[in-house]
């Protein structure tokens, strides 16, 4: 089991930055690959970034590459978001992929993850 709790969302202006945190607990967390997704109203949940279980690899969506950075420190996973845009407005979720890990094509979809947090709202005003 893995429990995930996101924080750090809020209201910012375009061009500003935010850092989201995902506090994780549970006996499988140490072996989990972690990811961030977001979901805007009326849209499907969108993959943003993934951090491999040992930290040797990261994957990013093209829409955020160069602006967002995923990182991990012990029991917390972060998403640093820079140069935010109004189209980044969404609820942001962290997720965990526990062993046996999913195949590469599933990294980019919600079905690639076993556990989810409750989400944190990010609103970017123009």
């Amino acid at each position: 089991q893995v429990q995930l709790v996101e924080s750090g969302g809020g209201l910012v202006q375009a061009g500003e930055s935010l850092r989201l945190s995902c506090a994780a607990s549970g006996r499988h967390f140490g072996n989990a690959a972690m990811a961030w997704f977001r979901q805007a109203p009326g849209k499907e949940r969108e993959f943003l970034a993934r951090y491999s279980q040992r930290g040797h690899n990261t994957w990013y969506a093209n829409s955020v590459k160069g602006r967002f950075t995923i990182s991990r420190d012990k029991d917390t996973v972060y998403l640093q978001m820079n140069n935010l845009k109004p189209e980044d407005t969404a609820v942001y979720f962290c997720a965990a992929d526990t062993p046996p890990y999913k195949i590469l094509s599933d990294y980019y979809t919600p079905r690639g993850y076993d556990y989810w947090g409750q989400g944190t709202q990010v609103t970017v005003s123009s």
Side-chain angles (χ1 to χ4, degrees):
Q1 293 287 332
V2 177
Q3 293 79 43
L4 305 172
V5 179
E6 302 95 336
S7 62
L11 172 63
V12 297
Q13 293 188 335
E16 294 184 340
S17 299
L18 273 178
R19 188 176 78 159
L20 305 183
S21 300
C22 174
S25 60
R27 65 187 185 97
H28 291 305
F29 174 68
N31 293 323
M34 301 298 297
W36 285 95
F37 283 73
R38 68 185 177 190
Q39 189 165 20
K43 294 189 176 181
E44 294 185 349
R45 195 163 293 192
E46 175 191 14
F47 168 82
L48 299 175
R50 176 181 170 110
Y51 190 93
S52 66
Q53 61 272 22
R54 297 190 182 276
H56 297 320
N57 294 293
T58 55
W59 295 261
Y60 290 94
N62 288 335
S63 59
V64 303
K65 195 175 296 183
R67 295 193 299 127
F68 291 10
T69 303
I70 189 171
S71 61
R72 177 171 176 168
D73 181 16
K74 297 181 180 178
D75 296 336
T76 303
V77 178
Y78 301 97
L79 185 68
Q80 177 68 43
M81 307 185 295
N82 297 327
N83 190 24
L84 283 162
K85 305 174 182 180
E87 52 264 42
D88 294 319
T89 295
V91 178
Y92 284 67
F93 299 89
C94 68
D97 176 13
T98 56
Y101 304 110
K102 309 305 182 291
I103 60 176
L104 178 61
S105 59
D106 283 346
Y107 288 4
Y108 305 97
T109 71
R111 66 174 176 265
Y113 301 87
D114 308 300
Y115 299 97
W116 293 84
Q118 83 290 348
T120 185
Q121 175 71 45
V122 172
T123 303
V124 184
S125 64
S126 58

